[in-house]
Amino acid sequence: MTQPMLTFQHVTHRYNGHAALQDFELSTAAGEVLGLLGPNGAGKTTSVRLANGLINPSSGSIRTLGLDPIAQGDQIRAQTGVLTETPALYERLTARQNLAFFGQLMGMSAEGCRQRSQELLSYFDLTERADDRAGTYSKGMKQRLALARALLHRPRLLFLDEPTSGLDPEAAAQVHELIATLRDTQDQTVLLCTHNLFEAQRLCDRLAIMNRGKLLAMGSLDELRREVMPGLWAELRFYQPPEPAALAAVRAVSGVMQVEELDAQTWRLQAQEEAVLPQVVAALTAQAAQITALRPNQASLEDIYFKLQSAHTEGAS
Ligand code: ATP
């Protein structure tokens, strides 16, 4: 088995007594895009800082690329790339000068840095504006330049903290394309912190969902579906709101796990298997409910995310 690129074991981190991470566990395999999802203040940025040795955990153990971030932070940072929420660029320097400066900080040779910068500027479609100051760039261009900066020294592990935050849909789609290309063509390992569930579902191989410093669940979308929202889901539409007895009749069908009323004419039900659906239709027909549509559907990442978050909030209150 290949060595994990990043592991957190029982990690707790406190800022002035306030726990930002509590007994947190995480593991990233080589070549995967792992999504770290959670509401504001969940601890995503804290995890990135800890993994790169920028802060030390209060307790627990972290290994980044097999190294200890407390003692070997410099060695780790030489092999990781970090894109923060606000691009860390020098606005008064041109794109080329920004990359040359960071390349020097990373200990790259001037020629190696020049060649790699050329390659990345072209890859990120910035060659024509490479000699303009970064301060004159649009937000999307700055984000692409910041990504180029994060990739300059060919990091084995890339941390992307909200890479599309504040970008318009076109610029965000471009960044999505770039991340997908990195994953598919360069086998890059990425930890992607995001609030954007569409982005996460599209780009991530596995997802870690957290809240207030705790890991709620981790796995591929299919694994999370099996764990958090098992069975078959279906949406039912009615021509008119059905009688209350219809709801009771459907709940009584063997194999129906739950029924939610999304609105007066739309229900969502969870059944153990597809064979239960014809019995649901029969029960509704017996109650004179007028079904206009029955659409089996799989739980989306959004369904799973909100189910986990609300279960956690109810458990905590
Ligand atoms: P967001 O989605 O808003 O970026 P996040 O998931 O990245 O949030 P963190 O920034 O890691 O969350 O913050 C986790 C908790 O730690 C929050 O309660 C935050 O207020 C607190 N926190 C973060 N940085 C500091 C700091 N430097 N000093 C004190 N508290 C902090």
Side-chain angles (χ1 to χ4, degrees):
M1 204 178 114
T2 57
Q3 191 190 32
M5 301 293 270
L6 176 67
T7 53
F8 279 57
Q9 287 179 312
H10 303 295
V11 173
T12 293
H13 182 74
R14 292 190 194 85
Y15 293 106
N16 310 318
H18 164 80
L21 286 187
Q22 295 180 59
D23 203 20
F24 186 63
E25 302 272 319
L26 194 76
S27 173
T28 314
E32 79 171 347
V33 178
L34 177 72
L36 200 51
L37 313 180
N40 291 124
K44 303 180 295 293
T45 304
T46 300
S47 308
V48 173
R49 289 195 195 129
L50 286 165
N52 283 282
L54 299 173
I55 49 176
N56 293 336
S58 310
S59 60
S61 154
I62 303 173
R63 284 288 173 278
T64 308
L65 302 167
L67 302 170
D68 176 2
I70 299 177
Q72 296 165 297
D74 287 342
Q75 272 168 272
I76 289 173
R77 289 188 294 276
Q79 301 177 67
T80 59
V82 182
L83 177 76
T84 51
E85 210 172 324
T86 21
L89 298 167
Y90 288 99
E91 303 250 317
R92 298 178 62 167
L93 298 185
T94 67
R96 224 185 283 280
Q97 288 167 339
N98 263 288
L99 295 179
F101 176 74
F102 290 113
Q104 207 178 357
L105 280 187
M106 287 295 167
M108 295 174 79
S109 71
E111 182 50 25
C113 179
R114 198 192 60 76
Q115 279 184 15
R116 177 74 172 151
S117 300
Q118 204 80 331
E119 186 184 311
L120 287 167
L121 287 166
S122 155
Y123 181 76
F124 287 102
D125 203 17
L126 290 168
T127 307
E128 273 183 29
R129 298 281 308 273
D131 296 310
D132 293 350
R133 287 182 180 188
T136 67
Y137 281 17
S138 69
K139 200 157 184 213
M141 290 170 74
K142 282 184 188 166
Q143 200 70 337
R144 281 185 275 144
L145 178 56
L147 260 172
R149 185 213 138 170
L151 289 165
L152 190 63
H153 55 304
R154 301 180 194 277
R156 292 170 59 203
L157 177 58
L158 185 62
F159 295 86
L160 302 177
D161 198 353
E162 299 290 341
T164 55
S165 139
L167 297 187
D168 65 31
E170 287 80 4
Q174 210 173 12
V175 172
H176 288 164
E177 276 314 311
L178 293 168
I179 298 170
T181 311
L182 282 176
R183 181 193 59 192
D184 298 340
T185 60
Q186 307 197 5
D187 210 19
Q188 178 80 56
T189 309
V190 181
L191 185 83
L192 172 66
C193 302
T194 182
H195 291 288
N196 182 329
L197 300 178
F198 163 78
E199 175 172 290
Q201 182 159 352
R202 157 138 199 245
L203 296 172
C204 298
D205 300 300
R206 286 192 314 134
L207 304 137
I209 301 181
M210 57 192 301
N211 186 316
R212 290 191 214 159
K214 291 195 173 140
L215 181 70
L216 306 183
M218 179 161 65
S220 66
L221 185 54
D222 279 342
E223 286 165 349
L224 292 177
R225 277 188 184 121
R226 282 198 290 276
E227 186 186 329
V228 182
M229 299 188 79
L232 177 94
W233 290 78
E235 198 174 285
L236 278 156
R237 280 285 300 164
F238 299 98
Y239 185 60
Q240 284 179 333
E243 297 295 325
L247 186 58
V250 169
R251 286 192 169 136
V253 171
S254 162
V256 168
M257 297 162 78
Q258 58 168 307
V259 188
E260 284 170 62
E261 287 176 284
L262 301 182
D263 61 49
Q265 283 163 257
T266 317
W267 294 358
R268 186 148 201 254
L269 73 82
Q270 183 187 18
Q272 277 168 355
E273 53 180 338
E274 206 169 352
V276 176
L277 296 184
Q279 295 168 49
V280 167
V281 173
L284 285 166
T285 309
Q287 296 291 328
Q290 297 169 302
I291 305 167
T292 55
L294 170 65
R295 275 188 292 270
N297 56 21
Q298 284 189 303
S300 65
L301 177 57
E302 196 176 12
D303 297 326
I304 292 166
Y305 179 88
F306 285 115
K307 174 128 197 240
L308 281 167
Q309 298 296 349
S310 64
H312 180 72
T313 311
E314 280 160 25
S317 60

